[in-house]
Amino acid sequence: MLIKKMVKKLINIYIFVMLCFSQSSVFGSNSDFNTWVIDFKKYAVKSGVSKKVADDVMSNAIFLPKVIKYDRFQPEFYEDTYTYIKKRTNKNKIKKGLALYKKEKITIDKIEKEFLIEKELLLAFMGIETNYGKYLGKMDIVSSLATLSFDKRRSEFFTKELIILLKLVDQKIIDKKILFGSWAGAFGNFQFMPRTIQNYAIDYNKNTTIELKETEDSFASAANYLNKIGWKKDTPCFTKIKLNNNIPNKYLNSSAANINNKKKVKYFKKYIENFDELKIDTNLEAAIITPDIDIIPGANTYTPAYLVFANYEKVLNWNRSLRFALAVCTLKNNFKNEI
Ligand SMILES: [Ca+2]
């Protein structure tokens, strides 16, 4: 335990030092950023955005050094699995979720039925993404997305998101005055990125605008998203397992980018110490994940370990983090016992 804590501390110090060194290049890039904005506007117009909206929306875009800091210091990169899950699924989170459900029961129950997505799952997503709308973010999304597009790490991804956002403004689906959200450009109760808004957000209460900070539209949009990407109601997400030492390394997934080597649960029997205690259909397809291997140096290879199912990968579609998906499904299960 002590070693684990020391390793964690060392990782934090390392990240901090790296951030200090990266400061000079980050702060020295303002004129480069302004040149980038000029080029980006031309590219946006070529991609189908009207010149008026491109000029208008981008006119106040500024480079935000703190966005780069947040990008390099995400908890998904350094928190071990138990800490990550515990922080996000505590009793207070359940209490607040239950209070919201009590208040919005009619709407949430109706949406659950219509989209075939468990209310517990919707509450879990909202609880983890924004603490039930408490942390919607106050960052100017255009500047966040512009900063991350200008930055090299994931430039292509964020450039596409920013173009989509401009198109949403151009088509009057979103009002540019309300574009405040997270440092990574996500928006509303469920932290939708522009592409998610474009593909899945709906005006559920039919008042002609999509309000992702209001219960009706945000819950229906989240339920619609999960339904369309294939979440299957009343089927499992993950289950915790104890692995035997005889498990070949190839079965241990530790990257959220791809979940490999899927087999029927019963195939893994010889590798799972507590197999007989598992309350799971052994004909289901599953994979094994050991999320701490990559980020916690010296982590015990086989602990913690989980069997994950098709639904788990749907949560990864939402946010590509092994820990995030475990936390969402854990909170969902915790609600199940309360509602
Ligand atoms: Ca609406």
Side-chain angles (χ1 to χ4, degrees):
M1 210 53 206
L2 189 67
I3 291 174
K4 215 170 167 184
K5 270 188 185 162
M6 277 173 63
V7 169
K8 218 168 127 185
K9 208 169 183 181
L10 280 173
I11 296 171
N12 286 345
I13 291 170
Y14 171 75
I15 293 171
F16 179 75
V17 170
M18 291 307 287
L19 282 172
C20 291
F21 277 115
S22 66
Q23 284 297 305
S24 53
S25 61
V26 164
F27 284 116
S29 47
N30 270 344
S31 67
D32 292 347
F33 179 75
N34 293 337
T35 311
W36 178 88
V37 171
I38 293 167
D39 290 342
F40 174 79
K41 282 200 283 191
K42 286 180 199 155
Y43 174 67
V45 171
K46 256 191 204 162
S47 310
V49 178
S50 73
K51 189 170 181 307
K52 186 178 175 297
V53 165
D55 283 340
D56 193 24
V57 176
M58 295 308 292
S59 62
N60 296 321
I62 53 166
F63 184 78
L64 298 171
K66 66 180 167 186
V67 166
I68 303 295
K69 268 203 225 175
Y70 292 140
D71 181 62
R72 307 293 194 265
F73 201 60
Q74 297 178 53
E76 279 82 0
F77 295 166
Y78 63 87
E79 255 175 22
D80 68 83
T81 300
Y82 287 149
T83 310
Y84 185 96
I85 295 177
K86 210 173 145 189
K87 271 191 190 172
R88 288 159 182 80
T89 63
N90 58 30
K91 277 192 182 137
N92 202 27
K93 206 130 263 170
I94 295 164
K95 212 172 113 187
K96 282 185 75 177
L98 290 173
L100 173 72
Y101 176 60
K102 209 174 150 189
K103 198 173 139 229
E104 305 284 357
K105 189 176 183 313
I106 295 169
T107 305
I108 296 173
D109 284 353
K110 191 172 158 230
I111 288 168
E112 173 180 42
K113 259 195 189 158
E114 199 173 325
F115 294 91
L116 301 172
I117 301 296
E118 297 94 322
K119 53 186 171 298
E120 292 87 352
L121 182 66
L122 297 171
L123 288 168
F125 268 108
M126 189 179 174
I128 286 173
E129 287 288 11
T130 61
N131 201 11
Y132 310 103
K134 194 178 172 195
Y135 301 116
L136 293 171
K138 290 180 181 137
M139 202 82 88
D140 154 26
I141 295 180
V142 173
S143 293
S144 295
L145 290 172
T147 301
L148 291 163
S149 302
F150 170 70
D151 181 46
K152 298 277 182 288
R153 197 174 83 85
R154 294 181 69 195
S155 177
E156 199 186 332
F157 172 81
F158 286 106
T159 303
K160 282 181 187 160
E161 292 288 332
L162 186 52
I163 293 281
I164 293 171
L165 185 69
L166 294 188
K167 285 184 179 172
L168 289 171
V169 174
D170 211 0
Q171 293 154 11
K172 299 194 166 48
I173 293 169
I174 295 187
D175 184 347
K176 76 170 181 114
K177 287 193 212 85
I178 58 161
L179 291 179
F180 295 93
S182 83
W183 63 266
F187 179 78
N189 286 336
F190 290 84
Q191 297 287 278
F192 275 22
M193 291 298 286
R195 184 185 297 276
T196 317
I197 298 176
Q198 184 192 44
N199 293 342
Y200 305 106
I202 46 181
D203 173 25
Y204 187 62
N205 59 5
K206 297 201 168 57
N207 65 352
T208 74
T209 53
I210 297 176
E211 301 131 304
L212 293 177
K213 293 178 181 175
E214 305 295 333
T215 308
E216 286 178 309
D217 284 2
S218 71
F219 268 77
S221 296
N224 182 46
Y225 179 21
L226 289 162
N227 174 298
K228 292 269 159 62
I229 61 175
W231 172 275
K232 293 274 177 298
K233 192 168 181 268
D234 301 324
T235 65
C237 177
F238 78 88
T239 192
K240 199 166 172 238
I241 51 172
K242 275 185 216 152
L243 284 175
N244 288 324
N245 288 344
N246 63 352
I247 178 127
N249 263 336
K250 66 175 179 179
Y251 291 123
L252 306 180
N253 287 284
S254 61
S255 161
N258 270 310
I259 301 292
N260 298 316
N261 278 308
K262 289 173 220 166
K263 304 274 178 199
K264 284 187 175 173
V265 171
K266 60 187 175 193
Y267 176 86
F268 291 120
K269 183 173 179 175
K270 53 185 174 291
Y271 304 126
I272 299 174
E273 203 184 307
N274 60 334
F275 188 86
D276 294 333
E277 296 160 22
L278 300 179
K279 292 178 188 118
I280 217 91
D281 173 2
T282 58
N283 282 311
L284 277 176
E285 194 170 73
I288 295 170
I289 61 160
T290 46
D292 281 356
I293 293 183
D294 275 359
I295 57 152
I296 312 293
N300 177 348
T301 316
Y302 305 115
T303 315
Y306 306 86
L307 274 180
V308 296
F309 308 99
N311 270 348
Y312 179 85
E313 290 193 68
K314 305 308 169 195
V315 186
L316 289 184
N317 281 8
W318 181 297
N319 183 355
R320 228 153 252 294
S321 151
L322 295 178
R323 290 170 188 78
F324 174 87
L326 288 170
V328 166
C329 290
T330 301
L331 188 54
K332 171 187 177 278
N333 292 343
N334 292 350
F335 277 129
K336 194 85 198 162
N337 304 326
E338 304 278 343
I339 298 178

